[in-house]
Amino acid sequence: MAGLHLIEHPLIQHKISLMRDKNTGAKEFRELVSETATLMCYEATRDLPLKEVEIETPLAIAKTKVISSRKIAFIPILRAGLGMVEGVTALVPAAKIGHIGMFRDSNHKDVVKYYSKLPEDIAERHTIIVDPMLATGNSINNAIDELKNAGVTNIKVMCIVASPEGIDAVLTKHPDVDIYCGAKDKGLNDENYIVPGLGDAGDRMFGTK
Ligand code: URA
């Protein structure tokens, strides 16, 4: 059933704690984002459909299963979502990657879309939007709108830390979407940062502040 999936696996919780630490530097932060994305991807792909095939082992014919034909696309929201791409493609190397670029304007509320490039066959794919922070939900809702306008019917969202406000905003507008996150934090501050959160994930990842 669509909705929120809070992934409480100890490895994910441990890595999120290391990311929360303000003394964690950019290199380690990037590695942690990537490793967490790999672990979360394992959960977010749990319900991929399988089909039975016959494979010849060195000893016999085995009836066994492979992922059925519908393919996957990961959609990182630029720029912080880029930090999750290596981690998710480690598990699904054949996935295509679509990019959606958005930034928050000076009031930290409205999102401005400045870039979009999706795979041509996006409508036929299972899609997983990746962004480490689900804050107001505005960027994710915009990205979901864009995918739906392109004909996509199977959409998931993977974020590392989410706010209750962001989760509500996304599930209210798009109740058919699954959200996977590793932590549901207290809420947003006046500047729409998640508290306690990780800080600005893009800045911490790319060392821009
Ligand atoms: N984006 C971030 O990088 N951090 C937040 O807390 C909220 C949005």
Side-chain angles (χ1 to χ4, degrees), residues 45-136:
T45 51
R46 186 177 278 283
D47 63 349
L48 282 181
L50 294 169
K51 66 178 179 193
E52 200 167 78
V53 293
E54 285 193 354
I55 290 195
E56 199 176 341
T57 78
L59 298 178
I61 302 287
K63 278 194 195 320
T64 184
K65 288 173 183 162
V66 294
I67 292 170
S68 68
S69 58
R70 213 168 188 216
K71 302 185 187 95
I72 297 182
F74 293 108
I75 317 293
I77 308 284
L78 305 180
R79 71 188 157 139
L82 288 178
M84 297 172 79
V85 171
E86 197 181 320
V88 291
T89 51
L91 285 192
V92 194
K96 289 194 177 171
I97 313 295
H99 296 84
I100 298 181
M102 288 185 214
F103 61 85
R104 298 198 285 175
D105 72 359
S106 51
N107 67 19
H108 286 254
K109 204 161 189 185
D110 302 322
V111 290
V112 181
K113 190 175 85 191
Y114 64 90
Y115 186 75
S116 173
K117 186 80 183 170
L118 301 173
E120 276 180 0
D121 60 354
I122 191 75
E124 293 148 36
R125 291 182 176 260
H126 283 262
T127 59
I128 304 182
I129 296 170
V130 294
D131 190 347
M133 311 302 278
L134 169 52
T136 60

Side-chain angles (χ1 to χ4, degrees), residues 13-193:
Q13 296 307 310
H14 184 83
K15 288 179 194 299
I16 291 175
S17 298
L18 297 176
M19 279 183 263
R20 288 193 193 278
D21 186 339
K22 67 176 186 184
N23 295 315
T24 297
K27 175 178 182 288
E28 195 188 348
F29 191 87
R30 276 197 302 274
E31 289 166 356
L32 289 163
V33 168
S34 187
E35 290 161 5
T36 305
T38 304
L39 294 167
M40 294 185 76
C41 185
Y42 181 79
E43 275 304 314
T45 51
R46 186 177 278 283
D47 63 349
L48 282 181
L50 294 169
K51 66 178 179 193
E52 200 167 78
V53 293
E54 285 193 354
I55 290 195
E56 199 176 341
T57 78
L59 298 178
I61 302 287
K63 278 194 195 320
T64 184
K65 288 173 183 162
V66 294
I67 292 170
S68 68
S69 58
R70 213 168 188 216
K71 302 185 187 95
I72 297 182
F74 293 108
I75 317 293
I77 308 284
L78 305 180
R79 71 188 157 139
L82 288 178
M84 297 172 79
V85 171
E86 197 181 320
V88 291
T89 51
L91 285 192
V92 194
K96 289 194 177 171
I97 313 295
H99 296 84
I100 298 181
M102 288 185 214
F103 61 85
R104 298 198 285 175
D105 72 359
S106 51
N107 67 19
H108 286 254
K109 204 161 189 185
D110 302 322
V111 290
V112 181
K113 190 175 85 191
Y114 64 90
Y115 186 75
S116 173
K117 186 80 183 170
L118 301 173
E120 276 180 0
D121 60 354
I122 191 75
E124 293 148 36
R125 291 182 176 260
H126 283 262
T127 59
I128 304 182
I129 296 170
V130 294
D131 190 347
M133 311 302 278
L134 169 52
T136 60
N138 290 342
S139 315
I140 297 289
N141 273 339
N142 269 286
I144 296 171
D145 286 342
E146 171 129 5
L147 292 180
K148 287 187 173 176
N149 287 338
V152 180
T153 54
N154 191 301
I155 303 174
K156 291 177 177 168
V157 173
M158 242 178 73
C159 53
I160 295 175
V161 177
S163 72
E165 297 93 325
I167 292 166
D168 280 355
V170 173
L171 293 181
T172 301
K173 187 158 188 220
H174 298 289
D176 53 319
V177 164
D178 283 291
I179 301 174
Y180 294 81
C181 74
K184 181 176 173 182
D185 275 12
K186 250 191 249 142
L188 299 174
N189 69 10
D190 291 345
E191 294 193 318
N192 286 328
Y193 280 95

